[in-house]
């Protein structure tokens, strides 16, 4: 067929498919008995978010992300005939432009996909340790861990984001990649209007950015781009344009690889052209599990997210019916399940190419039943006593997408810290990650998230560092899409993800309440329950302390972005804990 005719036929088919889905979508969803009615939530008087808030509603398709401009890009792509994977990739590249604190080309991530025809897939585009990396590279001559895994050129793993997003598009996308990347190129070349959130974000990372090449675009006059000004990134526009023209090859073996390797050499980093040339994203079998009759589709290692969320939910299911939301009994059960699952996470999980991670055991119902029996009804157990009982053998961003056909994508991507290592690839216009800190720099020594990890996650050349990213899709008991969720926030990602799921399934909250509800976090060590300030009654905290839990209040527990199917369409929410995000749709 002549190319123009071919294109015409292609768009015709996409349009016809979309119209068909649009016509059938609302009636398919009306009065669906698989979505039990929502129950009003009650939050304690001191809690900062009111119960009963409204979510965004859309009849056909939706994107929920931490950046309104990026959500809008994803929505436009679907209006132009793209599917959820096209929209996720377009949103990902737009985040790299408009939300550079976490959106990225120089980082990595994970995508969980569930197509409306029932196919499921998970792609792992986590960074890898450079070939020159060594197990003790962050241990100084005094035996202490240096700060080099957190900031500066040695902190970066080999980026996977570009390869991963393009591979997801190759397999599932329906629009040409040039069309999918066009909005990000335009956004970078024409710029966007700087808002307060962007100004504050860049200003807050001055110490991280100003010693590297990003100083010129981000602190041209020693101050972050002014609120109300237009911020363009011509180098980044050129880079995304090259990717649109030549695919991921230009990033891993072409001129962008040259720029990354040159920046590493100048700054004293480890990533070489050989590292970039050998980088590959990996398709993996998603973890399939269930919680009280609902099905979960979650990310397997190299992320710990899906394994740990599944283990926690399985333990809670085995422990018994859920206690009322916000009660000491509910928090004790969730924290104790999380404490035990994190013991497993921190000691047993790592890159499956390097360690035999016991995922089937950790996610089995039988294992969960055995663990649930170790949780007493009214007494906390110290983490130190748990490891043997179990037969021991930041910044990130999440977005959720659903399209008019009912295809669903959950994506989490990260540079680790805000603006990653701070190292900016001059000429190419993006930051490199500081993901090496997610490895165990030294067993027994906490990383930037306070995680104390073990051998399974030790540094080795070419190895993927263990992640907590938890992009997750939940189906209702009839097998229909119910929820797309995930979060940012290091290990607290796991807590936010499983608690949004609990709130939707156990407490039948609306998605707005499920997202706004106060959260807790227990990562086994430190051996304590972190609770969001003001979120729980003082009597509940007192009762938890009586049980023997160490409870402390501190800041937000992660920030999620979720979409839930409701009668006649979808409701979506970007976390109120995050400023500048939006759930948008049509
Ligand atoms: N960098 C945070 C994580 O992947 O868990």
């Amino acid at each position: 067929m002549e190319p123009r005719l071919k294109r015409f036929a292609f768009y015709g088919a996409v349009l016809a498919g979309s119209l068909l889905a649009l016509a059938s979508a609302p009636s398919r969803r009306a009065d669906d008995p698989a979505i039990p009615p929502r129950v009003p939530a009650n939050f304690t008087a001191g809690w900062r978010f009111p119960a009963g808030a409204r979510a965004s509603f859309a009849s056909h398709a939706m994107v929920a992300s931490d950046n309104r401009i990026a959500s809008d890009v994803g929505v436009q792509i679907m209006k132009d005939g793209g599917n959820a994977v096209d929209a996720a990739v377009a949103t990902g590249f737009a985040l790299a432009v408009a939300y550079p604190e976490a959106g990225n080309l120089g980082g990595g991530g994970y995508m969980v996909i569930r197509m409306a025809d029932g196919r499921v897939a998970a792609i792992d585009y986590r960074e890898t340790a450079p070939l020159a990396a060594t197990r003790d590279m962050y241990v100084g001559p005094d035996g202490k861990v240096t700060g080099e895994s957190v900031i500066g050129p040695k902190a970066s793993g080999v980026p996977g984001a570009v390869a991963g997003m393009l591979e997801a598009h190759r397999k599932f996308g329906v629009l040409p990649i040039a069309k999918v990347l066009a909005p990000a190129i335009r956004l970078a070349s024409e710029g966007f209007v700087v808002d307060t959130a962007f100004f504050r974000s860049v200003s807050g990372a001055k110490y991280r950015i100003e010693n590297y090449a990003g100083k010129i675009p981000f602190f041209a006059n020693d101050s972050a781009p002014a609120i109300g000004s237009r911020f363009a990134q011509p180098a980044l526009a050129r880079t995304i344009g090259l990717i649109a023209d030549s695919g991921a090859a230009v990033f891993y073996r072409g001129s962008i690889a040259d720029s990354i390797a040159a920046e590493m050499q100048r700054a004293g980093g480890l990533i070489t052209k050989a590292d970039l040339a050998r980088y590959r994203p990996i398709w993996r079998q998603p973890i399939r599990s269930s919680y009280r009759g609902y099905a979960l589709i979650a990310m397997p290692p190299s992320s710990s997210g899906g394994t740990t969320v599944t283990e926690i939910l399985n333990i809670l299911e085995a422990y018994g019916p859920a206690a009322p939301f916000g009660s000491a009994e509910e928090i004790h059960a969730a924290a104790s399940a999380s404490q035990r699952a994190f013991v497993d996470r921190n000691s047993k999980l790592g890159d499956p190419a390097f360690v035999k991670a016991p995922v089937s055991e950790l996610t089995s119902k039988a294992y969960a039943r055995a663990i649930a029996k170790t949780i007493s009804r009214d007494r906390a157990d110290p983490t130190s006593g748990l490891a043997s009982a179990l037969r021991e053998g930041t910044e990130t961003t999440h977005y959720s997408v659903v399209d008019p056909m009912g295809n669903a994508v959950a994506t989490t991507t990260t540079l680790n810290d805000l603006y990653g290592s701070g190292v900016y690839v001059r000429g190419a216009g993006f930051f490199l990650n500081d993901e090496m800190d997610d490895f165990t720099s030294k067993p027994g020594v906490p990383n930037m998230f306070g995680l104390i990890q073990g051998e399974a996650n030790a540094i080795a050349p070419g190895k993927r560092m263990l992640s907590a990213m938890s992009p997750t899709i939940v189906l209702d008991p009839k097998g229909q899409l119910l929820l797309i969720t995930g979060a940012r926030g290091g290990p607290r990602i796991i807590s936010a993800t499983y608690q949004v799921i609990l709130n939707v399934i156990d407490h039948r909250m609306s998605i707005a309440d499920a997202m706004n509800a106060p959260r807790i976090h227990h990562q086994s060590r430190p051996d304590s329950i972190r609770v969001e300030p003001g979120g729980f009654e003082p009597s509940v905290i007192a009762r938890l302390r009586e049980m023997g839990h160490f409870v402390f209040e501190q800041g937000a527990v992660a920030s999620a972005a979720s979409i839930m199917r409701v009668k006649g369409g979808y409701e979506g929410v970007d976390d109120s804990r995050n400023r500048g995000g939006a759930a948008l749709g049509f």
Side-chain angles (χ1 to χ4, degrees):
M1 209 188 285
E2 197 208 312
R4 260 185 46 212
L5 278 180
K6 220 166 151 181
R7 226 171 25 239
F8 183 72
F10 168 79
Y11 287 121
V14 168
L15 191 67
S18 303
L19 288 176
L20 212 70
L22 289 183
S24 63
S27 58
R28 191 161 29 89
R29 296 183 196 118
D31 295 323
D32 187 341
I35 313 174
R38 301 293 98 190
V39 172
N42 280 311
F43 302 148
T44 185
W47 179 232
R48 58 181 171 140
F49 304 127
R54 271 189 183 284
S56 307
F57 174 80
S59 315
H60 303 297
M62 187 170 254
V63 179
S65 90
D66 287 341
N67 183 272
R68 173 173 287 275
I69 298 171
S71 294
D72 192 42
V73 163
V75 168
Q76 288 305 324
I77 284 289
M78 291 193 282
K79 283 188 176 166
D80 289 350
N83 68 11
V85 176
D86 293 315
V89 172
T91 302
F93 275 89
L95 284 166
V97 179
Y99 195 61
E101 68 173 55
N104 65 81
L105 304 188
Y110 302 93
M111 196 181 279
V112 172
I113 299 168
R114 195 238 180 202
M115 302 301 280
D117 62 11
R119 280 176 296 157
V120 295
I123 185 161
D124 172 339
Y125 46 99
R126 182 67 157 167
E127 300 91 328
T128 55
L131 291 169
T134 58
R135 185 192 158 83
D136 296 326
M137 63 188 279
Y138 302 117
V139 182
D142 57 359
K144 293 203 175 117
V145 171
T146 68
E148 286 186 321
S149 65
V150 177
I151 190 164
K154 290 199 171 61
S156 301
V158 182
V162 172
M165 287 195 284
L166 265 67
E167 173 60 14
H169 172 268
R170 182 197 67 74
K171 189 152 178 193
F172 287 103
V174 294
L175 291 184
I177 192 70
K179 192 167 170 66
V180 170
L181 299 193
I185 298 170
R186 206 164 38 245
L187 197 56
S189 64
E190 293 174 7
F192 55 88
V193 177
V194 172
D195 60 10
T196 309
F198 185 83
F199 175 80
R200 285 208 179 122
S201 165
V202 174
S203 302
K206 188 164 195 265
Y207 75 100
R208 189 167 283 272
I209 297 173
E210 70 180 355
N211 295 323
Y212 303 102
K215 182 174 181 356
I216 315 276
F218 285 90
F219 290 97
N221 305 312
D222 210 39
S223 155
I227 296 168
S229 68
R230 190 165 271 277
F231 183 61
Q233 299 166 81
L236 185 54
R238 247 188 336 271
T239 291
I240 304 176
L242 285 170
I243 296 167
D245 291 344
S246 315
V250 71
F251 190 94
Y252 291 93
R253 291 187 292 282
S255 60
I256 305 171
D258 293 339
S259 299
I260 296 171
E263 194 64 51
M264 284 279 103
Q265 257 197 344
R266 256 192 306 265
L270 301 186
I271 301 171
T272 63
K273 284 189 72 177
D275 284 308
L276 291 159
R278 72 196 290 277
Y279 184 84
R280 299 282 180 276
I282 301 175
W283 286 105
R284 301 194 187 275
Q285 282 300 324
I287 295 176
R288 306 292 301 258
S289 66
S290 65
Y291 180 66
R292 304 197 204 275
Y294 291 75
L296 264 79
I297 306 163
M299 194 68 217
S302 61
S303 183
S304 66
T307 311
T308 312
V309 166
T310 301
E311 186 178 338
I312 294 168
L313 292 175
N314 280 345
I315 296 170
L316 289 172
E317 188 183 70
Y319 188 71
F325 176 80
S327 63
E329 291 69 29
E330 194 218 20
I331 297 171
H332 166 68
S336 303
S338 179
Q339 175 194 30
R340 285 153 173 81
F342 266 89
V343 168
D344 286 338
R345 181 229 181 258
N346 295 344
S347 59
K348 295 177 183 166
L349 296 182
D351 181 346
F354 288 75
V355 293
K356 204 177 156 340
V359 176
S360 310
E361 186 195 3
L362 297 181
T363 57
S364 78
K365 297 283 184 194
Y367 184 72
R369 279 194 295 275
I371 300 298
K373 285 197 187 119
T374 72
I375 304 176
S376 114
R377 295 281 148 184
D378 57 5
R379 198 194 65 248
D381 293 301
T383 295
S384 56
L386 290 176
S388 56
L390 295 177
R391 296 183 286 117
E392 158 56 2
T394 300
E395 278 296 338
T396 306
T397 188
H398 174 85
Y399 52 102
S400 296
V401 184
V402 63
D403 71 17
M405 280 70 75
N407 301 311
V409 179
T411 302
T412 317
T413 181
T414 187
L415 288 168
N416 203 22
D417 225 324
L418 294 173
Y419 303 91
S421 62
V423 176
Y424 181 84
V425 184
R426 71 194 72 184
F430 58 88
F431 291 97
L432 288 169
N433 65 85
D434 62 341
E435 222 70 64
M436 292 295 284
D437 190 64
D438 276 346
F439 277 120
T440 309
S441 289
K442 185 175 176 181
V445 176
N447 74 355
M448 76 157 93
F449 298 113
L451 281 172
I452 299 176
Q453 310 181 92
E455 277 303 320
N457 190 30
I459 303 172
K463 186 174 176 182
R464 285 162 149 80
M465 55 295 283
L466 190 63
S467 171
M469 290 187 267
S470 311
T472 306
I473 295 174
V474 180
L475 311 181
D476 68 25
K478 289 185 147 184
Q480 298 279 310
L481 174 67
L482 178 67
L483 179 67
I484 312 165
T485 191
R488 68 185 286 174
R492 296 182 296 279
I493 289 172
I494 289 169
S495 300
T497 304
Y498 86 78
Q499 284 163 53
V500 168
I501 294 171
L502 291 183
N503 292 344
V504 165
I505 295 178
D506 285 347
H507 304 300
R508 300 237 214 117
M509 290 185 194
S510 69
I511 192 62
D513 285 342
M515 293 277 289
N516 279 341
R519 297 180 187 143
I520 64 152
H521 177 66
H522 197 317
Q523 61 180 46
S524 77
R525 285 175 207 275
D527 191 351
S528 52
I529 307 177
R530 170 173 166 172
V531 299
E532 291 187 314
F536 301 96
E537 295 291 346
S539 59
V540 167
I541 307 277
R543 174 73 191 119
L544 288 165
R545 289 184 174 138
E546 262 171 38
M547 289 178 177
H549 289 287
F550 183 85
V551 185
F552 71 103
E553 290 192 327
Q554 190 184 329
V557 170
S559 166
S562 304
I563 297 174
M564 183 171 148
R565 184 168 61 90
V566 294
K567 189 171 164 181
Y570 299 96
E571 282 190 341
V573 179
D574 187 62
D575 210 308
S576 311
R577 295 160 181 82
N578 180 61
R579 285 200 186 84
L584 304 175
F586 62 94

